[in-house]
Amino acid sequence: METITIRATQNAAIVKFEFSDFIANNNNYEYKNIDETANSPLAKKLFYLPFVKTVYISGNFVAIEKYSIVEWADVQDEVATQIADFVNTGGEIVKESAEVKKKLPATVYVETTPNPAVLKFVANKRLTKTSAEFKNIDETAASKLARELFKFPFVKEVFMDENYISITKYAMTEWDEVTPEVRSFIKVYLENGNEVIDESLIQKMPQAEKQQEAYFDALDVTSQQIINILEEYVKPAVQADGGNIAFESYDEADKRVKVLLQGACSGCPSSTFTLKSGIENMLKDMLNDNEIKVEAINA
């Protein structure tokens, strides 16, 4: 007999109803109204409840967004009971398509990072040529995968670089509760041959402009030296930790280097120490200038 677990989300209008196992073959489904539920008898049944606005089926849960006519505290137990009764009496959650796409072998493994809010999901293939940071779902026009990841209510930020994805979570969820679900989702997404990033769109984003050769060539010599040092000596280390450091500017007048911390580096408790005791000292030594200061514009 299936038992449903009720979990609140960061969005007060959405509640998750979790199952003990995966229910949708690691695919994701979203239903805005009853006319869209041809392949989901469960979603169709839920839309008969007058307060149901949207139904999401993914991983091991059904998430429901409600209209404001009711409070979840008043109805969530009854909804959980209806879902359990439906499934336990043989009701079908999703009718998977008979058409099966040829899968591409993919491996995804998980690495911890110095930032407890961030996990690094590493693939056995290149995901992007240009690093990209997505602070919210509105910034994901260039990446369908980032957009899909933001549909997990605990996902706060997404950073992609080369062959890995660093995901920052909200404090509402512990990683051990959701890591298998996220890893499985990314693996299946890659196996199905879905596009990770549209490189033509990512190149137009402001954050990508400073990765272009034309931008580098227009800089002063000291700024170019700083970028080269960061690229050769700093970036490999922070990439290994699931993060990135990007050159922002250099002010010759007060010898101030500004950098942007991304991925696991952003908000990391040890980032200030790394900037001052590591990167700043390295630049002072390699540029032979003890007045250089380094600061992160998003520390």
Side-chain angles (χ1 to χ4, degrees):
M1 298 291 286
E2 184 67 54
T3 301
I4 304 299
T5 302
I6 302 170
R7 292 194 187 279
T9 72
Q10 188 188 17
N11 186 334
I14 299 177
V15 163
K16 289 171 62 175
F17 299 87
E18 293 187 350
F19 291 70
S20 57
D21 204 352
F22 287 105
I23 59 174
N25 242 1
N26 296 319
N27 292 318
N28 300 287
Y29 302 92
E30 179 178 344
Y31 306 97
K32 294 290 188 181
N33 55 64
I34 198 168
D35 291 337
E36 298 179 354
T37 61
N39 73 327
S40 176
L42 174 58
K44 183 176 182 179
K45 177 179 176 63
L46 290 170
F47 272 108
Y48 283 108
L49 299 171
F51 55 83
V52 171
K53 181 180 180 180
T54 309
V55 176
Y56 307 91
I57 299 177
S58 177
N60 70 328
F61 66 87
V62 174
I64 300 175
E65 181 181 9
K66 70 173 181 66
Y67 288 105
S68 58
I69 60 174
V70 299
E71 297 298 327
W72 272 121
D74 298 327
V75 298
Q76 62 186 22
D77 290 337
E78 176 59 27
V79 173
T81 298
Q82 288 194 29
I83 293 174
D85 289 346
F86 179 84
V87 174
N88 290 330
T89 55
E92 195 169 9
I93 299 173
V94 173
K95 297 178 179 178
E96 297 283 351
S97 172
E99 180 182 352
V100 179
K101 295 169 64 176
K102 184 178 180 181
K103 292 187 178 295
L104 306 172
T107 300
V108 177
Y109 64 91
V110 181
E111 293 182 354
T112 57
T113 75
N115 189 337
V118 180
L119 277 188
K120 180 181 177 183
F121 296 83
V122 186
N124 64 335
K125 58 180 289 186
R126 177 180 284 274
L127 303 178
T128 178
K129 297 177 182 177
T130 308
S131 63
E133 184 176 43
F134 307 95
K135 292 289 190 179
N136 55 63
I137 197 168
D138 291 336
E139 298 180 355
T140 60
S143 175
K144 181 181 176 182
L145 176 53
R147 185 162 63 251
E148 292 299 316
L149 287 170
F150 273 109
K151 292 180 180 178
F152 290 103
F154 52 82
V155 171
K156 182 180 181 182
E157 297 177 13
V158 175
F159 175 76
M160 299 182 182
D161 195 7
E162 297 187 354
N163 69 327
Y164 69 88
I165 302 169
S166 290
I167 298 178
T168 306
K169 70 171 181 66
Y170 287 103
M172 56 177 271
T173 303
E174 297 299 327
W175 273 123
D176 57 4
E177 297 174 356
V178 296
T179 299
E181 180 182 358
V182 177
R183 189 196 71 81
S184 179
F185 172 80
I186 296 173
K187 181 176 185 294
V188 171
Y189 186 95
L190 298 178
E191 288 178 336
N192 287 335
N194 296 309
E195 183 180 61
V196 176
I197 278 185
D198 185 330
E199 294 285 349
S200 64
L201 292 179
I202 207 70
Q203 294 293 340
K204 298 176 182 178
M205 295 176 65
Q207 59 183 281
E209 293 178 0
K210 292 186 177 181
Q211 301 181 48
Q212 305 305 312
E213 187 173 334
Y215 172 79
F216 180 86
D217 291 342
L219 293 172
D220 61 272
V221 173
T222 303
S223 293
Q224 291 179 344
Q225 290 177 319
I226 292 169
I227 290 176
N228 286 334
I229 292 171
L230 294 178
E231 289 287 329
E232 184 174 356
Y233 297 100
V234 180
K235 186 167 287 188
V238 297
Q239 283 180 324
D241 285 337
N244 186 47
I245 183 168
F247 174 83
E248 184 67 22
S249 64
Y250 171 65
D251 188 329
E252 177 67 35
D254 67 356
K255 304 295 182 74
R256 188 177 305 277
V257 180
K258 292 185 178 181
V259 296
L260 179 68
L261 300 178
Q262 297 175 308
C265 295
S266 179
C268 179
S270 62
S271 61
T272 301
F273 177 80
T274 301
L275 283 173
K276 293 300 179 182
S277 298
I279 299 170
E280 185 174 288
N281 287 341
M282 180 184 295
L283 291 176
K284 286 179 177 179
D285 181 59
M286 300 187 76
L287 296 175
N288 195 27
D289 189 339
N290 286 326
E291 294 183 12
I292 284 182
K293 299 174 288 290
V294 177
E295 69 176 42
I297 62 174
N298 60 333

